[in-house]
Amino acid sequence: MIQEQKILKYKNRIVFERIRMSSFKRIPKLYQDKEACFMFINEGEFSIRTQDEFISFDKGKGLLAKCFDYFFETNKKQRDKSDSIEVVGVLLYPIILEELFQFDIMHSSHIVDYNVRQIQVDELLSNFKDSINLLLDNPELADETLIKTKLKEFVLLMSKTVNAPSQLDFLSSMFKKNTSTFKVTILNNLYSNLSIDELAHLCGMSLSTFKRKFRETFMESPKKFIGKMKLEKASKMLVSKEYRISDVAYDCGFETISTFNRSFKSHFGKSPTEYRLMSST
């Protein structure tokens, strides 16, 4: 999937990187050491799925994210526009930040109401990205002093971009995750095509813990409850001729039309087409 990757390290941790990868449907955010991050989107489009949001990002935008579980996703329209995605990333580790700034990043009560935020890349940020690209292409220039300077520069720029009261407040807020309740997370992602394993990951749980919590909350297994809710939504949509059957299938979170047809007929005893015709008489 990764076509090209260039990195710069500080204290044996990747702090700047440029990654080009082929298009994908869905991948989880993977962590090295509980880092927050910022990404410049150089090429391609994708979306971020969190516990309570689904945000799209395209070329030229920036992505600021706390350290938490989420997915990168693309749909067919996004993949058709570009068969690859390239980002330049800045990775922020608490242990490195505290060394650079000589303060405890938890010594601030500042909080923000987002886990992921889309950032408009202005001229200052664009110039910063160009300087990181230069170093990634010429790593022999990037000694430890220069890397420390660029990290400090980024923190200053981003603190001003998000209007944080101070650099300490900005950094502290990036490691205070906003959480949704288990029930809200499930209901927010009910009609996605997330697998049970992926839903568990989004909730930050092991599969066994997730299944136990799900049954306690909804009194049914995840497969049974989610399947039932998708089919009930589909049956309501089929009453209207406004939606094509393929649109109903994808809007309700089915991977393929054949899977939708099979599940629908098993539950209602009629195919989606037959159900629609019966509902219109």
Side-chain angles (χ1 to χ4, degrees):
M1 181 181 293
I2 294 180
Q3 299 171 332
E4 182 184 33
Q5 182 180 24
K6 294 188 176 183
I7 63 173
L8 292 174
K9 288 186 175 183
Y10 178 76
K11 302 291 186 181
N12 293 318
R13 290 177 173 85
I14 297 173
V15 291
F16 299 115
E17 66 180 342
R18 185 172 67 232
I19 298 179
R20 173 180 287 273
M21 63 180 68
S22 56
S23 61
F24 52 84
K25 287 188 177 181
R26 178 182 294 124
I27 55 174
K29 173 67 174 80
L30 300 177
Y31 289 93
Q32 299 179 68
D33 191 17
K34 300 179 180 179
E35 69 273 10
C37 71
F38 182 86
M39 297 180 192
F40 295 95
I41 294 91
N42 282 355
E43 185 178 323
E45 299 180 9
F46 58 83
S47 300
I48 296 292
R49 181 182 297 278
T50 75
Q51 291 182 344
D52 57 2
E53 290 185 292
F54 191 74
I55 310 172
S56 295
F57 296 84
D58 55 20
K59 181 178 179 180
K61 295 295 195 301
L63 183 165
L64 180 64
K66 296 179 182 179
C67 176
F68 74 112
D69 295 310
Y70 57 94
F71 287 100
F72 297 95
E73 300 185 14
T74 63
N75 56 36
K76 186 176 184 302
K77 183 178 179 181
Q78 290 170 325
R79 292 192 294 273
D80 286 345
K81 284 187 177 181
S82 176
D83 60 3
S84 63
I85 292 170
E86 183 180 277
V87 300
V88 174
V90 183
L91 285 66
L92 304 172
Y93 305 89
I95 190 170
I96 290 179
L97 296 170
E98 291 181 346
E99 176 207 321
L100 292 180
F101 291 94
Q102 294 296 300
F103 53 53
D104 184 338
I105 61 173
M106 290 297 103
H107 284 177
S108 166
S109 59
H110 184 62
I111 58 174
V112 292
D113 61 358
Y114 57 83
N115 285 325
V116 173
R117 177 172 170 178
Q118 186 176 103
I119 300 294
Q120 297 298 319
V121 177
D122 60 15
E123 186 175 357
L124 286 174
L125 282 172
S126 182
N127 288 337
F128 176 83
K129 180 188 71 172
D130 291 343
S131 71
I132 298 304
N133 274 323
L134 178 64
L135 295 177
L136 288 165
D137 289 330
N138 301 275
E140 69 278 3
L141 301 177
D143 61 16
E144 186 173 284
T145 300
L146 185 52
I147 290 177
K148 288 168 62 176
T149 300
K150 299 310 290 185
L151 283 169
K152 289 181 177 181
E153 179 186 352
F154 174 78
V155 171
L156 176 59
L157 285 172
M158 195 51 55
S159 298
K160 293 185 176 298
T161 298
V162 300
N163 296 315
S166 70
Q167 293 177 65
L168 169 60
D169 291 322
F170 163 67
L171 292 172
S172 179
S173 70
M174 293 308 298
F175 297 95
K176 295 172 183 171
K177 178 177 69 173
N178 301 324
T179 58
S180 296
T181 66
F182 181 83
K183 186 173 184 178
V184 167
T185 299
I186 299 303
L187 295 179
N188 280 339
N189 294 280
L190 195 59
Y191 304 112
S192 67
N193 61 355
L194 290 171
S195 68
I196 304 303
D197 284 339
E198 289 169 335
L199 270 173
H201 178 83
L202 196 62
C203 293
M205 296 178 176
S206 69
L207 184 58
S208 59
T209 300
F210 173 80
K211 287 182 176 179
R212 183 168 61 253
K213 179 69 173 179
F214 196 101
R215 188 173 286 276
E216 290 172 357
T217 304
F218 296 101
M219 305 304 174
E220 288 183 293
S221 70
K223 183 177 180 180
K224 185 174 181 180
F225 178 82
I226 293 171
K228 179 181 69 177
M229 295 301 290
K230 287 180 176 181
L231 290 169
E232 287 181 1
K233 178 182 178 181
S235 68
K236 293 175 182 177
M237 292 180 70
L238 286 169
V239 172
S240 171
K241 294 182 179 180
E242 177 183 352
Y243 307 103
R244 298 178 301 175
I245 288 178
S246 59
D247 293 333
V248 174
Y250 295 128
D251 285 352
C252 294
F254 290 91
E255 283 277 6
T256 64
I257 297 175
S258 60
T259 301
F260 171 60
N261 287 337
R262 186 167 57 251
S263 299
F264 194 93
K265 188 166 186 177
S266 175
H267 186 78
F268 289 101
K270 296 178 175 61
S271 70
T273 302
E274 291 169 338
Y275 187 92
R276 169 169 277 174
L277 287 173
M278 182 192 71
S279 300
S280 63
T281 58

